[in-house]
Amino acid sequence: QLDFSGRVAFFSTSETKRTVTCDRSEFLGRNGSPATPAALRRPSLAGKAGASLDPAAAIRCEVDLAPGDRRDVVFVLGAAADAPQARDLARRFAGVAAAHHELTRVWGLWNDLLGAIRVETPDPGLNLLANGWLPYQTLACRFWGRSGFYQSGGAYGFRDQLQDSLALLLFAPQLAREHLLRCAGRQFREGDVQHW
């Protein structure tokens, strides 16, 4: 909560025929549920927004397709430091070409990062885990998301994350070093530490 309290969230789409609401009650309907939201049975959303609503973000767009047609639709969800930056980011990434370009760039970054080592065993399942999934989970969940089985509160864990940082040594040693220094910076002179 404290990390994001001053930020402005945004939600956009590449489609021009669209309606929105920031009211969960409008989206779900009276006594509604996410399994059968009332908004799917309405022709449009009312555009409600404000501090007194039960907050949500819903955007509805119309897409007409002839049989056999295909069309890419982009949805952009993010946060920015202020409203002008939020508008700029929403505009910059809501186009189909821009979204494809950014997605290709992100795939390249992940492939470069996770492709630093390659494990080959007779077990295809183990290869899949070792060559992408486990390093990705360690980095995305444990370090960047600061979440995991024993760390779902978003803290920097001294013991658990420090152990997990060993997995980063082969493909992101600089991140392992940063975490080691972060942990060492919180160690007491006597050598002990607080758990988080």
Side-chain angles (χ1 to χ4, degrees):
Q1 297 272 1
L2 296 177
D3 291 343
F4 305 104
S5 62
R7 299 185 65 81
V8 174
F10 61 90
F11 191 23
S12 185
T13 181
S14 57
E15 296 299 306
T16 55
K17 293 183 191 176
R18 61 184 173 209
T19 57
V20 299
T21 188
C22 295
D23 183 8
R24 186 183 320 266
S25 298
E26 179 190 356
F27 179 73
L28 296 178
R30 185 180 174 116
N31 301 320
S33 77
T36 57
L40 295 181
R41 296 183 299 277
R42 294 186 186 134
S44 65
L45 298 171
K48 292 182 182 179
S52 64
L53 303 173
D54 184 11
I59 191 165
R60 179 189 174 107
C61 59
E62 291 182 37
V63 178
D64 296 321
L65 296 175
D69 278 356
R70 181 180 166 157
R71 182 167 173 175
D72 290 334
V73 177
V74 175
F75 293 92
V76 181
L77 174 65
D82 54 33
Q85 185 184 34
R87 281 190 288 277
D88 177 56
L89 288 170
R91 272 191 226 105
R92 187 171 358 144
F93 294 112
V96 173
H100 278 290
H101 174 76
E102 192 63 19
L103 184 58
T104 301
R105 190 183 73 77
V106 169
W107 282 340
L109 291 172
W110 278 112
N111 287 334
D112 289 347
L113 187 62
L114 300 179
I117 59 167
R118 188 90 188 141
V119 175
E120 293 293 332
T121 73
D123 184 345
L126 180 58
N127 294 342
L128 181 66
L129 285 171
N131 292 320
W133 183 249
L134 294 175
Y136 169 80
Q137 286 295 306
T138 300
L139 186 57
C141 289
R142 300 294 281 154
F143 283 84
W144 290 342
R146 298 196 308 270
S147 184
F149 292 120
Y150 192 56
Q151 187 192 355
S152 57
Y156 284 103
F158 191 95
R159 186 197 70 193
D160 296 355
Q161 277 186 337
L162 201 53
Q163 290 169 324
D164 290 344
S165 70
L166 292 174
L168 302 178
L169 289 177
L170 296 174
F171 69 94
Q174 71 284 1
L175 295 176
R177 182 180 191 279
E178 287 171 16
H179 188 68
L180 179 62
L181 292 175
R182 182 183 301 114
C183 288
R186 274 108 185 128
Q187 190 171 10
F188 295 111
R189 183 174 294 145
E190 296 79 15
D192 57 337
V193 297
Q194 291 182 340
H195 184 71
W196 285 351

